[in-house]
Amino acid sequence: MKQTITFGGISAAPGTRAQGWAPVLDTDYKLPVSVINGSKEGKSVLITSAIHGCEYPSIEAVFRLAERLNPEDVSGQLVFINPVNVDGFLQRRPYIIPQDGKNLNRLFPGNPEGSLGDKIAYVLTEEFQRNVDFHIDTHGGDIPERQMAYVYYPGVSENTEALRISEEATDYVLHADFMIKSQATNHAYNYAAICGIPSIELELGDCATWSEAEVALYMENITNVLRYLGVLPGEAVKRTAPIKRITQGEYLDADASGRWYAYVTREDRVRKGQKLGEIRDFFGHVLHEYYAKFDGVVLMVVATLAIKKGDAIIAYGD
Ligand SMILES: [Zn+2]
């Protein structure tokens, strides 16, 4: 007999959808949460979007799934938080939580004594991730980012079964150019794996644009993974298109503020020693030059002329 379930204070009886706002500790910040308690037994899956507030194909796809999936079709439970970064979404701020200027996807597992971003990460971990069987976190290229479509899967956890399931799930992401094994530990999805919860992070779309076609591809990626997990009916389709597996990546940040000139664009093959770009000041002096340390392919390149010290400029991998 299925039970009523509660996430973040929002309760859903079997066969129903519930929506509401989940408080974040002692702050006045609230997370918008939708809970679908399926009619049948099955796994619990957390789906998050807008940890970065301007990655629109993912955000719109997750809105639509949370609003439209029929609880009668669901075996298990689906928990949606979207947008996680409400103010970043509304204010169109790339990367950060406006209230504290921090990149939420570098703050996991969070800290109940920290600033707002630390507290959101803590609540997301303790009240949501730990109570589900799988976490899908959704992203894309933020306002300045021109990038490829990819799926990240965690590479760090003592729970090898969580790592195995995460990697297996990537076979069901139908629309992706690359799959990337992550060695990081402080992003939402890879911290989930450290807690023993299998997880993936999806990336599709860029530069804060979105289209119906991208949203459709994104929804197909998510629903096919949900079929693989047995939460949605129908046969999961295994991806047959060849996909490049990235095992080493370099993510470069700007060493100075000024003007950014990229010499390559996404999907370009680069050779070791090839110049990737440079930063100049407002008087034409070159402040920093960037060269590839190994042969690889460009995953993401910042498309804006303006660059601020510490912000991402380019990512490549092999
Ligand atoms: Zn993102």
Side-chain angles (χ1 to χ4, degrees), residues 72 112 127 219 275:
E72 295 294 324
E127 296 186 24
M219 290 172 71
K275 189 165 180 179

Side-chain angles (χ1 to χ4, degrees), residues 32-63:
V33 174
S34 300
V35 179
I36 298 176
N37 190 357
S39 302
K40 300 173 273 289
E41 298 287 351
K43 292 190 169 77
S44 295
V45 181
L46 172 65
I47 303 177
T48 47
S49 197
I51 277 182
H52 297 140
C54 312
E55 298 170 355
Y56 298 136
S58 65
I59 297 169
E60 179 59 15
V62 173
F63 275 136

Side-chain angles (χ1 to χ4, degrees), residues 1-314:
M1 181 71 185
K2 280 208 78 172
Q3 306 287 320
T4 292
I5 55 162
T6 302
F7 281 86
I10 291 108
S11 298
T16 70
R17 177 193 339 267
Q19 299 166 312
W21 295 87
V24 174
L25 303 178
D26 56 349
T27 71
D28 56 10
Y29 189 86
K30 292 185 171 62
L31 293 164
V33 174
S34 300
V35 179
I36 298 176
N37 190 357
S39 302
K40 300 173 273 289
E41 298 287 351
K43 292 190 169 77
S44 295
V45 181
L46 172 65
I47 303 177
T48 47
S49 197
I51 277 182
H52 297 140
C54 312
E55 298 170 355
Y56 298 136
S58 65
I59 297 169
E60 179 59 15
V62 173
F63 275 136
R64 291 187 192 181
L65 291 171
E67 292 159 10
R68 296 179 186 178
L69 285 176
N70 184 350
E72 295 294 324
D73 293 333
V74 172
S75 299
Q77 295 74 233
L78 290 169
V79 184
F80 301 87
I81 312 176
N82 183 34
V84 173
N85 181 357
V86 174
D87 296 272
F89 176 73
L90 293 176
Q91 296 178 28
R92 297 179 291 221
R93 294 286 296 276
Y95 306 130
I96 60 159
I97 301 267
Q99 287 91 332
D100 62 9
K102 293 180 179 174
N103 183 341
L104 177 57
N105 217 25
R106 304 291 181 273
L107 298 180
F108 286 81
N111 175 3
E113 309 298 328
S115 62
L116 180 63
D118 302 300
K119 290 178 181 182
I120 293 171
Y122 179 82
V123 166
L124 211 152
T125 301
E126 296 301 320
E127 296 186 24
F128 291 89
Q129 276 181 342
R130 287 191 189 279
N131 298 312
V132 299
D133 301 304
F134 199 96
H135 182 191
I136 303 171
D137 189 28
T138 63
H139 290 252
D142 214 317
I143 290 176
E145 293 176 324
R146 184 160 289 145
Q147 70 172 47
M148 309 295 292
Y150 26 89
V151 49
Y152 283 106
Y153 61 104
V156 181
S157 177
E158 289 180 0
N159 189 322
T160 52
E161 184 64 3
L163 296 180
R164 187 192 67 77
I165 294 169
S166 302
E167 185 168 357
E168 190 172 271
T170 65
D171 286 341
Y172 297 90
V173 178
L174 298 173
H175 311 291
D177 304 304
F178 301 108
M179 53 188 290
I180 305 174
K181 186 176 193 171
S182 170
Q183 299 301 323
T185 59
N186 58 356
H187 301 220
Y189 77 103
N190 48 38
Y191 188 74
I194 287 170
C195 299
I197 313 298
S199 61
I200 52 173
E201 182 184 300
L202 301 177
E203 300 263 355
L204 191 151
D206 63 2
C207 293
T209 57
W210 69 282
S211 65
E212 285 297 328
E214 288 170 315
V215 172
L217 293 176
Y218 223 118
M219 290 172 71
E220 205 169 36
N221 276 349
I222 296 171
T223 53
N224 199 46
V225 172
L226 293 176
R227 286 193 191 99
Y228 155 73
L229 294 169
V231 174
L232 289 183
E235 187 88 9
V237 178
K238 205 164 181 177
R239 187 189 55 249
T240 52
I243 189 167
K244 180 160 174 58
R245 194 180 285 258
I246 303 287
T247 52
Q248 66 170 336
E250 186 171 42
Y251 298 78
L252 290 167
D253 294 334
D255 292 290
S257 296
R259 301 139 66 189
W260 161 243
Y261 296 87
Y263 287 18
V264 292
T265 191
R266 65 176 182 191
E267 214 174 351
D268 279 357
R269 296 291 311 177
V270 294
R271 309 288 298 177
K272 182 180 175 182
Q274 183 177 338
K275 189 165 180 179
L276 302 174
E278 66 185 32
I279 296 173
R280 299 180 204 152
D281 69 9
F282 297 157
F283 304 101
H285 306 112
V286 175
L287 300 177
H288 282 276
E289 297 173 300
Y290 297 89
Y291 296 89
K293 294 197 180 85
F294 51 84
D295 293 358
V297 62
V298 176
L299 305 171
M300 184 283 293
V301 60
V302 160
T304 55
L305 180 62
I307 200 72
K308 189 158 65 63
K309 185 177 180 179
D311 280 351
I313 46 175
I314 198 162

